[in-house]
Every structure is written in structure tokens, then in C-alpha cells.
Amino acid sequence: MSIKFTGRRISDFIRNTSILPHIRYFIHPNSNLITRSLTCFPSPNQTSQKPVFLLYNSILSLRARVRLATNSAVEMTMDKDGVRFCVGKQVNGLPERGKKQRRSQVSKKAKLNELRFYRLKAKKKMRSPNPEIRILYRLGKAKRKEEWLIEKLRKFEVPKAAAEVYDPESLTEEEKFYLKRTGEKKKHYVPVGRRGVFGGVVLNMHLHWKNHETVKVVCKPCKPGQIQEYADELTRLSKGIVIDIKPNNVIIFYRGKNYVQPEIMSPPDTLSKAKALEKYKYEQSLEHTSEFIEKLENELEEYYKHKARFSKEKESSPKD
């Protein structure tokens, strides 16, 4: 019976076996590979015979060779005389361990030459006498930047948590009027700046609601129509009630009659202060890049119209 297994298993077998004193070690004479054979004793007919010679150190050297040859095959053959091991053949499907291919390292001078080539190429397009080449180069560069900014902004998308089911309190007109006048007179407020709505805004609202029923949220700067988006987002995050939205981008929130301050006042599905600022910078850059792309597309369209008009006039002019 013959069994094949990898090198580390035979090493463990030799280390853990209890037949080490009965092992004969010799070099296979007819093998071109580095082959070792081990014959284990005793057999039924040779119980009284002593081994020819014992080489325990040779077993240790064999174990070291097996560890190094992790992809080599070890064949164990069981005969009447005992067990025979053969090391040095390759297992099917396991490639021999070879030297790691080193990456061809590009020299610093080659990199600088490549960068210099691309810069000269870009400068040539920018200074081209043909306006179409100049516009197309700037347009392609702006579109690549737009794609890069969109990819960056995707990293700031936070999955919204499941909306909690709660019963919004109903207020009468008299209560709303009283809360509106109270909120206008109070001086405390929460600013919403260029970062927009993030965790710190909701945290400040809860801190104000600890001592006051209402709080003013001042949104500056704010684009037209953005004040309503802020109101809806803050209502979802803080579970407050919108009392009034002023023309000067001020929202008055009421905490509710049965208000209980939550343990985590900054919602987990919002950005931090630093990330909100970073997101704002990318959004501003994307907005300006989109406007620049639109401007270049209009210039290219006007150039094509001018070119078509000029070619038409040239065809219609009388030939001398």
C-alpha cells in the first residue's frame, strides 16, 4: 500500500512516532533526485535481529529537509518488512517553490522623464492654434475631475437608520402661537453653517431642550429651497416639531410635551464635524467643476456653429 502526502505531515509523523529506535537510513543509489528512504523494523521474522546501524541525527536532517521542501511529495509504502518513506517527488497540482519574481523597478530618472513628456504634451494642447483642441483638452480634464469628485463624495454617504415609529403630538393653534412668540423672544439658537446638518447640530438642540421648550435653528448660508430640506432632516433626527420657518432662514423647533432626553444625543447615522467640512469642500468643488463643464460645452457648441456658418459662406461665395 502506498500513501502520498506533503512534507510537513511526514515531519510530524517522524517526530511523533514511537518507532525511532528501529529506523535504518540510507541513500537511494539509483535516484537522480534528492531521495531518502527509511525502513522501519521490527518485522515478524526479524524481532531478534539488531539494526545494522542507527542514525538518529540523520532522521533530524531528513526532518529539516522535509520542512524546506513543503511542495515535495512524500510517499509512504507499507510492505511486509515495515514502512518505507520516499522524499523528493512532486505532488500533482502543487508547483515547486521557486524564486520570487522581482518587480522591474523603474528608476527615478525614467519617472521624471515620463512626467516631463506628459507635461509637454499637455502644454502643446493648451497652446494649440486650433481652438477645438484647446477646448476639448480642458473639457476632458474637467470631466475626469468631476468623476473623481463624485467617487470621493460616495465615501461620505451614511446609510440612514430605520425610522422609529413615534406619534407626533398635535398642537392647537393657540399653543403654536404661544410657542412661536416664545421662540422669537429667546436669544439662544443653534447655527447651521456650511457643514450643513451633522451630529453636532442635533446634539446642541438636545442640550438647549434640556432647559428650554423651544430652540431656534439659524441656517446661514442657505440656498433657495434648502431651508425646507434642513427642517425635514432635523425633524427626522431630533424628533422635534417645526413651529415656524422664518423668511430669514430661521426655524423654530419645539421639543414636545413628553420630551425625554435620549442617551445618545448625536445620531449614529450622521457625519462628524471634520467629515462634514470635508464633504462640503468636495461638494463646492463639484459644483464649480460642473459649471465650468457647462461653460466649455457652450463654447464648443458655439465654435461648431461658427465653423459651419463659415464653411457655408465659403461655399456660397462666387468663385473667381
Side-chain angles (χ1 to χ4, degrees):
M1 183 177 67
S2 178
I3 303 173
K4 289 186 179 181
F5 47 94
T6 54
R8 293 188 186 277
R9 291 186 180 179
I10 185 61
S11 177
D12 297 337
F13 178 82
I14 293 172
R15 183 175 63 252
N16 299 327
T17 186
S18 60
I19 56 173
L20 289 178
H22 307 286
I23 296 180
R24 182 187 299 172
Y25 175 82
F26 61 92
I27 300 175
H28 201 286
N30 299 324
S31 177
N32 295 327
L33 300 173
I34 302 174
T35 308
R36 299 288 182 271
S37 299
L38 295 172
T39 307
C40 300
F41 288 93
S43 64
N45 300 328
Q46 298 173 343
T47 52
S48 61
Q49 297 179 2
K50 293 181 179 181
V52 180
F53 51 88
L54 296 173
L55 294 175
Y56 186 75
N57 293 333
S58 302
I59 297 169
L60 296 178
S61 65
L62 174 62
R63 190 184 301 168
R65 289 177 183 273
V66 169
R67 282 201 196 98
L68 294 174
T70 54
N71 292 338
S72 300
V74 180
E75 185 176 358
M76 182 178 71
T77 307
M78 299 180 67
D79 300 331
K80 294 180 180 179
D81 298 336
V83 182
R84 184 177 293 274
F85 298 94
C86 184
V87 183
K89 294 182 181 179
Q90 186 178 353
V91 179
N92 295 331
L94 288 176
E96 291 185 355
R97 180 182 294 178
K99 294 182 179 180
K100 293 183 179 179
Q101 296 181 357
R102 293 183 178 179
R103 290 185 179 180
S104 57
Q105 295 182 355
V106 183
S107 63
K108 188 175 180 181
K109 188 175 181 181
K111 290 181 179 179
L112 290 174
N113 290 337
E114 188 178 0
L115 288 173
R116 192 179 292 114
F117 169 75
Y118 284 117
R119 285 172 188 156
L120 290 173
K121 195 174 179 181
K123 191 180 290 185
K124 187 177 179 181
K125 288 183 179 179
M126 286 293 293
R127 296 179 180 180
S128 174
N130 190 352
E132 183 180 3
I133 295 175
R134 295 198 303 268
I135 295 172
L136 286 174
Y137 170 73
R138 294 164 69 191
L139 187 62
K141 191 175 178 181
K143 285 184 177 179
R144 288 194 298 272
K145 184 179 179 181
E146 186 182 30
E147 292 175 2
W148 177 77
L149 289 170
I150 291 171
E151 195 66 28
K152 282 285 184 182
L153 283 171
R154 283 177 186 168
K155 297 180 181 179
F156 295 97
E157 293 178 358
V158 181
K160 292 184 179 180
E164 297 180 5
V165 179
Y166 73 100
D167 187 15
E169 300 175 7
S170 58
L171 300 173
T172 62
E173 292 296 329
E174 294 177 356
E175 290 174 336
K176 285 183 179 180
F177 180 77
Y178 166 76
L179 292 170
K180 178 180 174 182
R181 294 295 300 272
T182 306
E184 289 174 354
K185 290 179 180 179
K186 298 288 184 181
K187 293 183 179 180
H188 57 274
Y189 69 96
V190 175
V192 176
R194 54 182 182 171
R195 293 178 178 85
V197 177
F198 63 98
V201 176
V202 185
L203 172 65
N204 289 334
M205 289 176 67
H206 284 295
L207 292 176
H208 281 293
W209 280 340
K210 187 177 181 180
N211 300 318
H212 307 281
E213 289 183 335
T214 59
V215 64
K216 287 190 289 187
V217 178
V218 181
C219 306
K220 289 182 181 181
C222 189
K223 299 176 184 177
Q226 197 175 20
I227 188 70
Q228 189 63 43
E229 296 178 7
Y230 286 160
D232 296 339
E233 186 69 11
L234 289 172
T235 302
R236 181 183 71 84
L237 294 172
S238 65
K239 305 295 185 295
I241 302 170
V242 178
I243 299 299
D244 190 22
I245 298 177
K246 297 292 183 180
N248 57 347
N249 297 330
V250 175
I251 312 170
I252 300 176
F253 279 95
Y254 173 54
R255 67 182 182 182
K257 297 176 183 177
N258 303 321
Y259 171 74
V260 177
Q261 194 176 53
E263 295 180 1
I264 302 174
M265 291 184 283
S266 182
D269 57 340
T270 54
L271 296 174
S272 63
K273 188 175 183 180
K275 287 187 177 180
L277 180 60
E278 193 175 354
K279 182 183 178 182
Y280 166 77
K281 290 178 180 178
Y282 284 127
E283 286 176 346
Q284 287 292 103
S285 182
L286 181 61
E287 184 180 353
H288 296 156
T289 306
S290 301
E291 292 176 358
F292 184 64
I293 288 173
E294 187 178 356
K295 179 183 174 183
L296 289 175
E297 287 176 348
N298 292 336
E299 287 183 10
L300 189 63
E301 188 177 355
E302 290 178 3
Y303 171 74
Y304 285 146
K305 287 180 180 179
H306 174 73
K307 189 176 178 181
R309 194 185 311 116
F310 179 75
S311 59
K312 189 175 181 181
E313 288 177 0
K314 190 175 181 180
E315 290 175 0
S316 61
S317 62
K319 295 181 181 180
D320 295 337

